[in-house]
Amino acid sequence: MKLSTLYRECTLDRISEKEIGREMKVAGWVENIRDHGGVSFIDLRDMYGVLQIVMRDTSLLKGINKEDCVSISGKIEKRDEETYNPKIPTGTIELEAHSVEILGKVYGQLPFEIVTSKEIREDLRLKYRFLDLRNRKVIDNMIFRSNVILFLREKMIQMGFLEVQTPILCASSPEGARDYIVPSRHHKGKFYALPQAPQQYKQLLMVAGVDKYFQIAPCFRDEDARADRSPGEFYQLDFEMSFATQEDVFRAGEEVLTATFEKFAPEGYEVTKAPYPVISYKQAMLEFGTDKPDLRNPLRIIDLSEFFSRCSFKPFQNKTVRAIKIHGHQSKGFHEKLLKFAMDIGMAGLGYLEVLEDLSYKGPIDKFIPDELKAEMRQLAGLEKEDTIFFIADKEEKAAMLAGQIRSELGQRLDICEKNAYRFCFVNDFPMFEKDPQTKQIGFTHNPFSMPQGGLEALNTKDPLEILAYQYDIVCNGVELSSGAVRNHNLDIMVKAFEIAGYDEEVLKQKFGALYNAFQFGAPPHAGMAPGVDRMIMLLRNEENIREIIPFPMSGTAQDLMCGAPNVVTEQQLREVHIKVRV
């Protein structure tokens, strides 16, 4: 590609000592100005690099301010050796300016210094995101993002997947999160929705005979922001396979994710080799206290509920009791800080026992454990001398959650989590249905289009809350990267599953009419998943906030502070789409 234009001969990264003595024209932004009296210097920056400009004719500096966009003509020279800058590739050369043209003037005071923009408050960065993106670290994230997406696309094509773009304007459907809805001008009182995911379309592509589909899909969900979730819009590597089982999808997911993380991981990082560990939802909630287990933490949670039902410690009676053992006795201060953490997350206390040299126990709970049961607890928990074991007791769901948080806190405080590693696993066998705690109604736990394990027979004969689905997640370092499922392609099973969740067949026809119709015309078995692109890049860049790797993110309150969205529209615009605003 030709790099030379009216304003520059090449980008700054293309200039080296080979150009010494050449007359050249360069362009970029004025990052810094240094006036040394009789000679001035500019650090000129473009997207690719930085070059020092020397102005021995200081009149050339007149009217130039930081962040002006300029085109400069001059001669490439070798710097004096004592002025070399080893931090930049062009650190041994400079351009002596002969003429300067201001292409874009800065008319007011800069809202912040570009080079330190990551250190200022986020709302100001987002308001002036076009300036924030000039920061080397920020734009490097976007370049990195582009490279990852290019690799994902090429890898999927190499694996035999066909890229297909699915619609952005679609029908609203009850899939979990709130839809963003779009009013129709031509159809009064009716609305489109932005897709929460290309769920129905990718299944329809399978019915259409597309064997393996993928796209880098934009998804829209009206959800609250989190550190790992951007409100409004996000992207996923969406893929679906015909004639595929859960294991087939696992192999495809492992191939693309392992290749991506091995290519783009920071130097020295280890990546889980395929096949990834497969952990059931039930096992994950027991051993890790979460369905997003961080396998870098070696600690595991055990269940001692039945054991403590035979002890006389009343706070543990009729409760789910979970325990975590660590090796080593800890200081009084350690226990005090951990107790404070436990109480901050809603626990009434945090019991523990220490195992002494003679394998006896030290701690306030010891007297409530009958002597004849003490050896049994050692065996159940795998206790050895100098171990400490912590206890968490509550109702089952809350005990699991609290134990998971204590496990994470212990891993951090003891500094025992694996460093410089990406540890993947699959979590599968999720419950198909759950009971709403408020309404007591049974609904879908996750994806309503998942195939129930046991098929129609299970739906007809089992307690809905005991039915598992062919649903699965990929988790990396405690972050959910992907969800997926073997899809329900059988119309009879689909009708019965939705009936259990409170949707009769007429609602099914109305809300999911395309799938309802398609499944009457020879639908193949199919399955897929959708790893989150934003979360992948967030992990690979070691960023704590997902907004750092999105070019133009919304704020935590779902606002575009730069363009002023959401905003009011005119009465005429509202009339055209037949809307009246109620306050």
Side-chain angles (χ1 to χ4, degrees):
M1 178 182 174
K2 182 182 177 183
L3 295 175
S4 179
T5 70
L6 176 65
Y7 306 107
R8 65 183 182 186
E9 290 184 40
C10 65
T11 54
L12 298 183
D13 62 317
R14 299 296 185 98
I15 304 173
S16 68
E17 290 187 9
K18 293 179 182 178
E19 277 69 51
I20 291 173
R22 275 192 59 196
E23 293 283 336
M24 295 194 72
K25 180 183 279 191
V26 295
W29 287 264
V30 177
E31 181 168 276
N32 197 19
I33 300 173
R34 301 184 302 281
D35 187 353
H36 289 185
V39 61
S40 299
F41 296 91
I42 284 177
D43 293 329
L44 188 70
R45 177 193 69 240
D46 67 4
M47 178 176 167
Y48 309 97
V50 176
L51 177 67
Q52 178 169 284
I53 309 296
V54 57
M55 294 179 172
R56 295 188 174 90
D57 179 359
T58 55
S59 67
L60 294 174
L61 191 60
K62 186 177 181 181
I64 295 178
N65 297 299
K66 288 175 71 171
E67 294 306 318
D68 279 347
C69 183
V70 297
S71 176
I72 302 176
S73 296
K75 186 177 181 180
I76 299 295
E77 298 178 341
K78 180 92 170 181
R79 284 204 209 184
D80 293 336
E81 190 170 344
E82 62 271 18
T83 66
Y84 284 179
N85 182 355
K87 295 180 180 178
I88 58 174
T90 59
T92 62
I93 58 175
E94 61 191 8
L95 183 140
E96 183 187 8
H98 297 160
S99 65
V100 179
E101 180 184 2
I102 299 178
L103 305 176
K105 185 91 183 133
V106 172
Y107 290 95
Q109 183 177 353
L110 291 168
F112 48 75
E113 290 288 333
I114 302 300
V115 293
T116 56
S117 68
K118 281 177 69 78
E119 300 170 18
I120 67 168
R121 68 179 197 268
E122 188 182 65
D123 62 334
L124 196 58
R125 289 180 65 195
L126 295 184
K127 182 177 180 180
Y128 295 96
R129 184 64 165 177
F130 50 87
L131 294 179
D132 188 35
L133 284 167
R134 294 182 189 177
N135 181 300
R136 182 76 261 160
K137 293 178 181 177
V138 180
I139 195 61
D140 277 349
N141 276 351
M142 305 312 139
I143 296 170
F144 185 88
R145 180 189 182 96
S146 175
N147 291 336
V148 170
I149 290 174
L150 176 62
F151 181 82
L152 291 172
R153 178 170 277 114
E154 291 177 339
K155 181 65 178 176
M156 295 304 289
I157 292 170
Q158 176 195 328
M159 291 167 61
F161 286 80
L162 178 71
E163 184 172 14
V164 183
Q165 283 75 45
T166 54
I168 296 299
L169 291 178
C170 61
S172 178
S173 62
E175 292 185 39
R178 293 183 185 88
D179 282 331
Y180 281 100
I181 57 174
V182 181
S184 169
R185 178 170 59 89
H186 289 296
H187 304 281
K188 185 176 181 179
K190 295 186 176 181
F191 296 81
Y192 305 99
L194 304 182
Q196 294 189 27
Q199 183 65 55
Q200 293 188 64
Y201 291 107
K202 65 181 177 182
Q203 291 192 247
L204 292 167
L205 286 170
M206 301 299 102
V207 179
V210 174
D211 194 58
K212 294 194 290 188
Y213 134 96
F214 89 97
Q215 69 173 316
I216 308 297
C219 303
F220 305 89
R221 298 178 189 176
D222 189 0
E223 298 177 312
D224 294 336
R226 296 190 313 224
D228 66 347
R229 183 170 71 193
S230 178
E233 177 183 352
F234 62 94
Y235 286 79
Q236 59 190 31
L237 172 62
D238 200 63
F239 70 89
E240 198 79 9
M241 307 163 64
S242 287
F243 309 107
T245 65
Q246 172 179 272
E247 286 66 34
D248 296 321
V249 177
F250 284 5
R251 301 295 83 81
E254 287 167 344
E255 182 172 346
V256 66
L257 287 176
T258 299
T260 302
F261 273 74
E262 285 183 344
K263 180 173 178 61
F264 292 101
E267 186 176 353
Y269 273 61
E270 292 187 7
V271 179
T272 301
K273 301 291 185 184
Y276 299 164
V278 180
I279 303 167
S280 72
Y281 171 78
K282 184 176 181 181
Q283 179 188 356
M285 295 307 294
L286 170 59
E287 292 190 13
F288 306 97
T290 175
D291 59 0
K292 305 172 186 60
D294 187 345
L295 299 189
R296 296 172 301 172
N297 185 340
L299 299 178
R300 298 294 183 266
I301 302 165
I302 61 171
D303 185 76
L304 292 178
S305 305
E306 193 280 329
F307 175 85
F308 274 101
S309 70
R310 293 180 277 132
C311 300
S312 59
F313 190 49
K314 288 187 177 180
F316 287 5
Q317 295 292 308
N318 301 314
K319 297 281 182 67
T320 294
V321 182
R322 298 285 159 86
I324 307 169
K325 75 158 186 175
I326 64 172
H327 186 65
H329 297 167
Q330 304 302 319
S331 67
K332 181 180 178 182
F334 181 94
H335 286 292
E336 288 175 349
K337 289 176 182 176
L338 192 61
L339 175 61
K340 181 181 184 305
F341 172 82
M343 299 184 76
D344 287 344
I345 63 173
M347 293 178 63
L350 182 64
Y352 70 92
L353 289 173
E354 294 177 340
V355 184
L356 303 180
E357 284 286 330
D358 61 358
L359 298 182
S360 64
Y361 301 130
K362 176 185 177 183
I365 298 175
D366 178 47
K367 63 185 177 183
F368 297 100
I369 302 174
D371 289 341
E372 63 271 18
L373 295 182
K374 290 181 177 178
E376 181 182 344
M377 189 175 78
R378 274 199 308 275
Q379 184 176 11
L380 287 171
L383 294 174
E384 300 175 354
K385 60 183 179 181
E386 295 188 9
D387 281 351
T388 301
I389 185 167
F390 297 90
F391 303 99
I392 302 96
D394 213 304
K395 293 181 180 178
E396 183 174 1
E397 187 175 333
K398 191 171 182 182
M401 178 193 69
L402 294 171
Q405 293 182 64
I406 294 295
R407 171 182 175 268
S408 296
E409 186 69 10
L410 282 169
Q412 292 177 18
R413 287 182 182 274
L414 297 171
D415 194 26
I416 55 175
C417 297
E418 187 180 13
K419 305 289 195 304
N420 301 338
Y422 293 110
R423 294 306 178 203
F424 287 88
C425 67
F426 287 103
V427 178
N428 69 347
D429 293 346
F430 283 89
M432 181 82 179
F433 301 101
E434 65 183 356
K435 184 177 287 188
D436 187 291
Q438 273 76 46
T439 66
K440 307 301 181 185
Q441 298 297 309
I442 289 177
F444 291 110
T445 303
H446 288 296
N447 191 319
F449 305 106
S450 302
M451 181 66 80
Q453 296 184 20
L456 190 59
E457 182 182 354
L459 296 178
N460 283 326
T461 61
K462 295 184 71 171
D463 180 344
L465 299 180
E466 294 180 0
I467 298 172
L468 302 179
Y470 287 110
Q471 290 176 344
Y472 37 81
D473 289 348
I474 290 182
V475 178
C476 178
N477 293 2
V479 175
E480 180 190 323
L481 268 193
S482 176
S483 61
V486 174
R487 314 302 179 186
N488 185 350
H489 70 285
N490 182 294
L491 189 59
D492 293 335
I493 297 176
M494 183 181 183
V495 170
K496 184 61 180 179
F498 275 80
E499 177 189 310
I500 292 172
Y503 301 97
D504 62 29
E505 192 164 352
E506 286 304 312
V507 173
L508 184 56
K509 291 179 185 178
Q510 179 187 359
K511 292 291 187 182
F512 306 103
L515 285 178
Y516 183 88
N517 290 333
F519 287 173
Q520 300 181 57
F521 295 95
H526 54 282
M529 64 167 44
V533 172
D534 306 296
R535 288 183 180 177
M536 271 190 242
I537 297 167
M538 177 184 171
L539 285 171
L540 286 165
R541 296 298 280 181
N542 283 318
E543 292 284 5
E544 295 183 0
N545 193 309
I546 202 165
R547 292 189 285 279
E548 292 291 350
I549 55 84
I550 297 172
F552 295 103
M554 285 191 178
S555 69
T557 54
Q559 292 176 289
D560 180 345
L561 300 175
M562 184 175 60
C563 294
N567 203 346
V568 296
V569 296
T570 66
E571 179 63 26
Q572 179 61 31
Q573 288 174 294
L574 292 174
R575 285 180 179 275
E576 286 176 350
V577 292
H578 323 292
I579 286 180
K580 183 176 182 180
V581 176
R582 292 188 297 178
V583 180

